[in-house]
Amino acid sequence: MTVLKKAGPGEADCFFVGLNVVDVLAVTDRPLEDDRKIPARRIIVDGGGPSGNSACACARAGARAALVSVIGQDEWTGFSLGSLVSFGVDHSLVRVRQDFKTPVSLIIVNAATAGRTILWNSHGINEIDLRLSGPETRRILAAPLVQFDGHLMTLALSLATRIRASGGAVCYDCGSPRPGWEELAAQTDYFIASHAFARQLGRPLAPLVLELRARFGFHVAVTAGGQGYYYFNELTGAAEFVPQRKFEAVDTTGCGDAFHGAFAAAISRGGDFRAALDFAQEFAGRKAQGCGGRAALPDLKFQQAWKGEPC
């Protein structure tokens, strides 16, 4: 059983620090072709981004979530903030800047496979030196759990050590080996990487789990997309594979983000590592049954039907 400190009155259980974007999704039945008009089954405008989606998933999974991010003062400002509000995510630490453009992703969903192609641009968010006030920093340091996604790395590195020194837990959603990832990993309690991270390092998933555990000593798992995940089992000292239950997938956009948000929610409620991973995997699988990274997030009825014990 994981024992985390309690959030203060009215404060979030989990803070998410990183990228928030707008997703424009088009569902098609055929591959793209040059100089052709391709009919779309459906076009959706939805919230997106690893930290933005994870915060919404965390809130949908029953925990109090807050987002720390940057968006632009532009045509997407109201939509971006409104999406967070609709999920009950605290956006008081989302900076709206005139010198920044809200990132927008274009996502082409293959209706036959539920896979997707993503065109995206972070508009240089990693070059932003986001400064927080003393009271804002103290709010984050008081949180039970803070998750970073590798964006806003300068801020992440400045906070991680202080979060742990304040008795909080650091979770790292590591989608790719961005500059600074090893330094942040060294200050992490829960490290969950994607199969894309493993592929970019050129390492098989199970050996990578063991290597990361031996090097950093944290709780570690590497997801294998719709196949399942590998994690380090504290009792056996081995990297073990947990398969994903099969779902009739419609769109896999945001499934990884849903996984991370649900995992954070389960850990914040005292779930142990393996139980929280199982809960997150089921939550992400349910998300795949609908279109959109946020629009298809499971509702609280999912919690009532869940037979596991994540918390």
Side-chain angles (χ1 to χ4, degrees), residues 2-310:
T2 301
V3 179
L4 297 183
K5 64 182 181 181
K6 298 296 183 180
E11 283 289 359
D13 303 303
C14 308
F15 278 76
F16 296 83
V17 180
L19 187 62
N20 183 77
V21 311
V22 174
D23 285 347
V24 180
L25 300 94
V27 182
T28 70
D29 294 310
R30 51 193 275 195
L32 300 183
E33 304 173 64
D34 289 342
D35 300 319
R36 293 289 186 273
K37 292 183 178 181
I38 307 297
R41 282 190 183 185
R42 189 179 180 191
I43 295 178
I44 298 174
V45 181
D46 197 11
S51 282
N53 280 350
S54 291
C56 292
C58 180
R60 185 58 64 84
R64 293 175 296 178
L67 177 65
V68 182
S69 189
V70 181
I71 62 173
Q73 180 66 61
D74 52 29
E75 66 272 23
W76 296 111
T77 308
F79 178 86
S80 297
L81 297 178
S83 177
L84 297 170
V85 169
S86 71
F87 282 90
V89 173
D90 180 341
H91 62 81
S92 60
L93 296 185
V94 175
R95 293 287 195 268
V96 180
R97 294 175 51 145
Q98 292 184 340
D99 62 346
F100 185 69
K101 188 73 174 173
T102 300
V104 178
S105 295
L106 303 179
I107 304 173
I108 311 301
V109 180
N110 186 329
T113 66
R116 77 270 194 243
T117 300
I118 302 176
L119 307 176
W120 69 284
N121 188 324
S122 66
H123 289 300
I125 192 172
N126 292 321
E127 280 70 60
I128 292 178
D129 184 11
L130 180 59
R131 303 293 181 89
L132 300 177
S133 68
E136 290 172 333
T137 300
R138 287 192 288 274
R139 287 183 62 197
I140 296 173
L141 297 182
L145 183 147
V146 182
Q147 178 174 296
F148 301 103
D149 68 5
H151 297 278
L152 295 174
M153 184 63 83
T154 300
L155 178 62
L157 292 174
S158 72
L159 288 173
T161 302
R162 299 171 66 189
I163 290 166
R164 298 178 86 192
S166 300
V170 172
C171 185
Y172 188 180
D173 164 9
C174 191
S176 62
R178 301 178 183 280
W181 80 266
E182 293 164 301
E183 187 177 349
L184 182 56
Q187 298 300 326
T188 293
D189 299 287
Y190 300 97
F191 185 93
I192 303 178
S194 68
H195 58 286
F197 171 83
R199 183 173 63 247
Q200 290 174 63
L201 291 182
R203 302 295 298 132
L205 273 59
L208 180 59
V209 166
L210 296 176
E211 292 168 15
L212 290 169
R213 168 67 182 197
R215 180 177 178 184
F216 296 105
F218 44 37
H219 294 285
V220 56
V222 178
T223 59
Q227 301 303 309
Y229 67 84
Y230 289 85
Y231 81 109
F232 182 79
N233 187 319
E234 300 278 346
L235 297 178
T236 65
E240 298 185 5
F241 178 67
V242 180
Q244 169 72 291
R245 185 167 72 84
K246 297 302 179 183
F247 292 90
E248 292 295 328
V250 171
D251 172 26
T252 56
T253 300
C255 282
D257 306 333
F259 185 104
H260 290 285
F263 172 82
I267 287 292
S268 74
R269 293 194 294 263
D272 67 32
F273 187 53
R274 168 63 192 275
L277 290 169
D278 287 346
F279 175 71
Q281 180 165 257
E282 181 75 9
F283 190 91
R286 298 289 184 94
K287 193 249 72 88
Q289 294 178 308
C291 194
R294 293 186 196 174
L297 286 171
D299 60 23
L300 289 177
K301 293 179 181 178
F302 160 78
Q303 305 270 23
Q304 300 166 2
W306 170 245
K307 302 301 182 182
E309 298 180 354

